Amino acid sequence: MGAEQSVAIWSWVLMVLFIGLMIYFGYFGMRRTRNADDFATARSSYGPIVLGLAVVATTASGSTFMGMPGQAYSLGFASLWYPILYPIGIYGGMLLTARMVKLMGDKFGNRTIPEIVGERYQSEFLRVGLAILSLLLIYYIVAQLVAAAIMFETMMGLDYTVAVWITAIVLCIYLTMGGSHSDILTDAVQGFLMLCIALLVLFMFLTGYGVSGGGMTAVNEAVKAKNPTAGWDTLFIPEHPTYGSAWLAFLLFIAHIPFGVLPHLGNKFLALKNSRQLKVFLMFCVIAGAVLPMMALGGILGLAVLDEPLSHADQVIPALFKELFPPFVAALLAVVVLSAILSTSDGLIVSFSQIFANDLYRKTFAKNQTDEAKVERNALIIGRVAVVGTILLGVWMSYNPPESLAIFLWIGVGGMMAGLMGPLAIGALWRRANKQGAVASFIVGVISYGLIYRDMIPRLEVYGNPFAAAGYSIFIASFVMVVVTLLTKPMPKEHVEKLFGPEKNSSTNQSSFTS
């Protein structure tokens, strides 16, 4: 039996066991789902470590295990700006906003990030606008389905279309059963597996595993022998739209600050048992979240080790494991990569379903209905139906896969980030932030992202770099938020104190949420 065949057989065995485990957790989550709120948030149900594993797993998508290593394989060490900077931006943003999201969600019964923003500013426009803008996250979902299909193709020899459908069916089964409970329980298991593999890849890179002579220096020499500009002495790649300069790297960092409160991540804060556990939860997220992006080092190692060029750079991690390890270990990677993909996909799909079930149906069309029990039943049904519809839409859009997963998913994310920065990130820290400033920031942020990304603003040409477009638009949206707020009346004192509590002293604008 050849090595390729052995890997495929072990991959099938482990994959069946893994999928069975995920469906079991889906059933377990269903038993804990009694109403629409449970389906949407799993409110106050999990401790800091379980939830922390779920959050870092959701953050580290298929792009982390395939897209970023693929860029490292193609470009070399200069591409490591992405895995180094993005966790600092994301988890730094979480430190700023998680407490407000958790406290407001618990205090007012909010279920989604658009609903929390609408409550913060007493604005139906912001709530509905953010909900509609969240539809752009379908691009993110598609990127995960594509990553899963590539993994199945590489490790198990499946046809691409069949692989997409297998992923979709598994997601559909366990998410329609348990919603957020199934999402969090499966993500916690997946996060643990992902951390183990990321630590293994880090060890392999540091020791130069598979490279003659061993050590990082040998890896660097082997990389430069194949691509002279890919070594660690090349900090930036001239004229590259993403890694061309220190300024572009800085914009990449700025672009990720609001990432931690995107709907599929921010709503997970609501599942924490109580606010006293926030410090442990966030500390765990920061540490574990810094480890997972080290998967990109596997792309560097793959460039050093693999002799034959890959037809698709995103295949580098599966190809590296097949080259260096026995079939069982290489097949185990297929499970872990699928974990990364499912852990992001399921959170995205649940939050996407709540656009229809909560933000549009419950809070808009049914807000004046007096039969709350009926509204809750309908919201639960709509949430489950929307899960199926979202997955089917994602499958249809996956038929023509993008060249780079890491870039493609940002087509939808960038506008969402620009729209959220002022209303949520600044609004979490600044009591003075008001409705007029938030609305202006939201509108300007979204429009400026679209214009900048399409190179329609003079002297801000980003040449298809969504990180730079998001970074610029976040700067613009933040400036608008501050200026418009200062030029308009504050929100009613009663509403502000209802949100933040009484000011501790009149000389500070710092919210009690950040103390």
Side-chain angles (χ1 to χ4, degrees), residues 14 35 38 69 75 277 304 381:
L14 294 174
N35 52 51
D38 288 336
L75 302 175
Q277 298 176 327
I381 293 170

Side-chain angles (χ1 to χ4, degrees), residues 355-366:
I355 298 171
F356 304 97
N358 185 76
D359 297 315
L360 297 181
Y361 169 70
R362 174 175 167 265
K363 298 297 293 183
T364 303
F365 300 118

Side-chain angles (χ1 to χ4, degrees), residues 23-73:
I23 293 174
Y24 167 76
F25 278 118
Y27 170 73
F28 189 78
M30 182 177 68
R31 295 179 60 186
R32 305 189 70 175
T33 301
R34 296 174 296 275
N35 52 51
D37 189 63
D38 288 336
F39 190 89
T41 68
R43 194 182 303 278
S44 302
S45 299
Y46 298 97
I49 303 303
V50 170
L51 192 62
L53 282 169
V55 166
V56 298
T58 304
T59 306
S61 64
S63 174
T64 302
F65 277 69
M66 301 189 77
M68 281 189 282
Q71 285 202 340
Y73 175 81

Side-chain angles (χ1 to χ4, degrees), residues 412-430:
V413 170
M416 190 74 191
M417 307 263 275
L420 272 174
M421 182 63 187
L424 190 53
I426 295 177
L429 301 173
W430 193 24

Side-chain angles (χ1 to χ4, degrees), residues 304-362:
V305 169
L306 300 174
D307 293 325
E308 295 296 324
L310 297 174
S311 58
H312 200 303
D314 288 342
Q315 296 174 340
V316 63
I317 293 295
L320 180 67
F321 271 56
K322 287 168 71 174
E323 175 74 20
L324 296 180
F325 292 116
F328 174 80
V329 179
L332 182 61
L333 175 73
V335 172
V336 176
V337 173
L338 187 62
S339 293
I341 294 161
L342 293 182
S343 62
T344 298
S345 301
D346 52 22
L348 282 162
I349 291 166
V350 169
S351 66
F352 202 86
S353 74
Q354 291 309 301
I355 298 171
F356 304 97
N358 185 76
D359 297 315
L360 297 181
Y361 169 70
R362 174 175 167 265

Side-chain angles (χ1 to χ4, degrees), residues 43-170:
R43 194 182 303 278
S44 302
S45 299
Y46 298 97
I49 303 303
V50 170
L51 192 62
L53 282 169
V55 166
V56 298
T58 304
T59 306
S61 64
S63 174
T64 302
F65 277 69
M66 301 189 77
M68 281 189 282
Q71 285 202 340
Y73 175 81
S74 300
L75 302 175
F77 280 89
S79 71
L80 296 184
W81 285 111
Y82 192 176
I84 290 171
L85 293 175
Y86 98 70
I88 301 174
I90 289 176
Y91 296 105
M94 282 188 186
L95 290 172
L96 298 177
T97 58
R99 187 166 178 81
M100 189 194 84
V101 171
K102 171 63 176 170
L103 291 181
M104 283 193 63
D106 289 350
K107 189 172 186 178
F108 300 105
N110 300 143
R111 297 178 184 177
T112 64
I113 292 299
E115 187 180 358
I116 287 171
V117 172
E119 187 80 51
R120 166 68 175 87
Y121 298 102
Q122 297 182 309
S123 172
E124 286 286 293
F125 173 81
L126 283 172
R127 182 180 59 76
V128 175
L130 278 170
I132 294 173
L133 185 65
S134 299
L135 295 173
L136 289 174
L137 293 177
I138 190 63
Y139 288 101
Y140 206 160
I141 294 171
V142 171
Q144 307 316 304
L145 293 174
V146 171
I150 291 173
M151 184 277 301
F152 276 122
E153 256 189 321
T154 306
M155 301 299 291
M156 301 165 71
L158 278 178
D159 177 75
Y160 174 85
T161 303
V162 173
V164 169
W165 277 106
I166 289 177
T167 308
I169 290 169
V170 172

Side-chain angles (χ1 to χ4, degrees), residues 5 11 155 413 443:
Q5 189 176 3
S11 295
M155 301 299 291
V413 170
I443 295 172

